[in-house]
Every structure is written in structure tokens, then in C-alpha cells.
Amino acid sequence: MTARPTHLAAAAAARLAETGVPSARVDAEILLAEALGIDRGRIPVADDPTAAQRDAYEALIARRAAREPLQHILGRAYFGPLTLAVGPGVFVPRPETELLAVWAARQVHHGAAIVDLCAGSGALGLYLAATVPESRVVLVERDPAALDYLERNVAAATFAGTVTVVAADVRDPDLPGRLTGLLGTVDLVVSNPPYVPDGADLDREAAADPAAALFSGADGLDLIRALAPLAAGLLAGGGAVGVEHDDGNGAGAARLLAGAGFAGVEQHRDLAGRPRYVTGRMDA
């Protein structure tokens, strides 16, 4: 007996909802489109799936019902105009971070020099490389697993400038020496660093991200403590910085930027009204 795609999606959505998946209907439809090899919007008019397609869909839904992140199942995440390779070992970019990316793109012009610290999959830096013409973007990431995804995303991205990957830890005291040619010449620094306080409770999907990309000391500010003065050195010739943070750390992150010499420090909220990122400027 065949089943219409819409009926399969409805049954799968109910199953996912029972397991606590917060976006059950959307995820069920995305995975069905994946199994059928069609766009999600074509599900209502799609042909009945074959037995092989139904089996493939069942396998995908079983993984999502076990709370494996949707992006891990698909092997990709969407961020602005980008389709990024992601999976176990790299932080999955969140839609909220696009607010920082949009803000950042508005701060610079053609040919800007940009550094993305704690780049992960490359979401922020590659967004800027794709949207700021002739930009020169440096992506700094320390974790070998994340670097593998980062290199793949750089190779697959389309941009009109240059992108360079630097394998380094922002806490390394020798890093400024490795970036000597950039010190004082950068126009913009962005970062979505690890910022979750140690021991914080996470939902099952978030907990699938690597711990090194999540946790940052007792108050969640350890990485921001390290990158604030580094960003100040990179921007010594004048420019802007934007850093994402835990929603309980807006004031703390702002103090760290101000303490590193940034002026005009501002806290920004996401679309849900939660504190999301801080920005500042360094005068030449």
C-alpha cells in the first residue's frame, strides 16, 4: 500500500514531536524532501515514494527521533547565502548569528581586511567574504576537526576576494607574532567563540556540538578575555569588532571590550529579545 508524501510527513512529524523535537513538522518535511530528492515546497505534488525512498526516509526519521541534529543528518547547514559542510566535530552555526553577520557587513566596504577569530565552520568569515566585494578575510581556528570542515567550506565557497585559514588558538601568546602583517591593518574583527559557562545545561542537539566549541570557563568569558586584546591589536589602525556571547553575558562581554580599549561599545539583542552580541570601535 502506498502513502502520499504529505501523509508520511504528518506521521513522521507526530513521531518526532513525541520524542521532544522542537521543530517536528519542519524537520519531518525537510528530511522527506531529502529522501525524495526534491525541494520541500514540492512535497504536496510529489509522486508517491518508492519502497526504497520510504526506507531511506524511515532511516532519516529514526536518526532525528534519537535527537541527532538535523544538520548532522543532512551534512550541511545554511547561513545567509552559504551552504556549509557540518557534522560531528564542528559547531553548527545558528540563525541568530546571522544578525552579527549582517551588522558586520554594514561596517566595511570594498577591499576590507577582515579577521574571523574562532572561525569554526567559517560561517561569519565566509559570509563576509561572499558579501563584501574584494575583501581579504583571515579565518583563525584551532581545532583539527573544525579545521577540516573549514577547509572544505573555503574550497566550496564563492567569493571575489581572498580567504586565508590560520590554524591557531586565540589564547596562544605567540599568535600576534604570527599575525604581524595584520596588526593595525585590519578593518573588522568578528567572532562567535565558545561562550557557554562550564556545567551549563544544554538541550540534546546543542550538546552534540564539540565541547571545545561550547564551553569557556566558569563564567563563559574565558575566550572573550583572550580575544578582546587580540582584536584591539589587529584594529589598532581603526575599525570595528563584533563578538557573540552567552545570553547572560552581555554586560560582561561589553566590559571586556571596553577594557581592551574599544569605544562606543554596544550590546545587541536577537529577534527573541535575548542579549546576543556586543560591538565596539577602535579609533585610529
Side-chain angles (χ1 to χ4, degrees):
M1 180 178 179
T2 59
R4 295 295 298 145
T6 51
H7 297 160
L8 285 176
R15 179 178 170 188
L16 294 181
E18 289 175 357
T19 67
V21 173
S23 52
R25 182 73 193 206
V26 171
D27 289 11
E29 292 181 353
I30 289 172
L31 292 173
L32 180 57
E34 185 77 2
L36 298 180
I38 62 173
D39 291 333
R40 180 183 164 201
R42 291 196 56 79
I43 289 175
V45 297
D47 293 334
D48 289 347
T50 64
Q53 288 173 329
R54 289 198 302 272
D55 289 344
Y57 186 45
E58 168 60 28
L60 294 175
I61 290 299
R63 292 172 66 183
R64 189 67 185 102
R67 303 298 293 275
E68 183 176 353
L70 178 67
Q71 296 85 354
H72 286 193
I73 298 170
L74 299 174
R76 62 184 182 273
Y78 301 103
F79 189 84
L82 306 174
T83 300
L84 300 167
V86 296
V90 70
F91 182 81
V92 173
R94 288 4 183 215
E96 295 88 346
T97 304
E98 291 186 31
L99 297 174
L100 172 56
V102 170
W103 171 89
R106 292 172 176 165
Q107 309 309 307
V108 289
H109 303 288
H110 183 283
I114 300 166
V115 176
D116 180 359
L117 300 173
C118 306
S121 66
L124 279 171
L126 290 176
Y127 178 101
L128 294 166
T131 55
V132 180
E134 303 298 331
S135 53
R136 294 163 289 134
V137 179
V138 176
L139 306 166
V140 180
E141 174 55 47
R142 64 175 175 136
D143 185 78
L147 281 164
D148 178 64
Y149 286 102
L150 179 57
E151 294 281 9
R152 289 163 57 188
N153 288 326
V154 169
T158 300
F159 42 82
T162 61
V163 174
T164 304
V165 175
V166 176
D169 190 330
V170 299
R171 297 168 299 185
D172 183 352
D174 295 328
L175 180 56
R178 294 179 58 187
L179 302 177
T180 300
L182 292 172
L183 297 176
T185 69
V186 173
D187 301 299
L188 173 69
V189 174
V190 292
S191 183
N192 182 15
Y195 57 63
V196 178
D198 291 347
D201 290 332
L202 301 173
D203 63 40
R204 291 176 64 180
E205 285 81 0
D209 283 318
L214 294 173
F215 299 106
S216 189
D219 61 0
L221 291 170
D222 281 2
L223 262 293
I224 299 177
R225 287 190 181 91
L227 68 83
L230 175 60
L234 292 168
L235 294 165
V241 64
V243 181
E244 187 164 330
H245 56 74
D246 182 73
D247 59 16
N249 271 337
R255 284 194 296 271
L256 290 172
L257 289 189
F262 286 98
V265 176
E266 295 183 40
Q267 300 180 47
H268 302 257
R269 295 179 179 271
D270 62 22
L271 296 179
R274 295 182 296 259
R276 179 58 53 188
Y277 65 97
V278 293
T279 61
R281 297 202 62 84
M282 185 66 66
D283 297 326

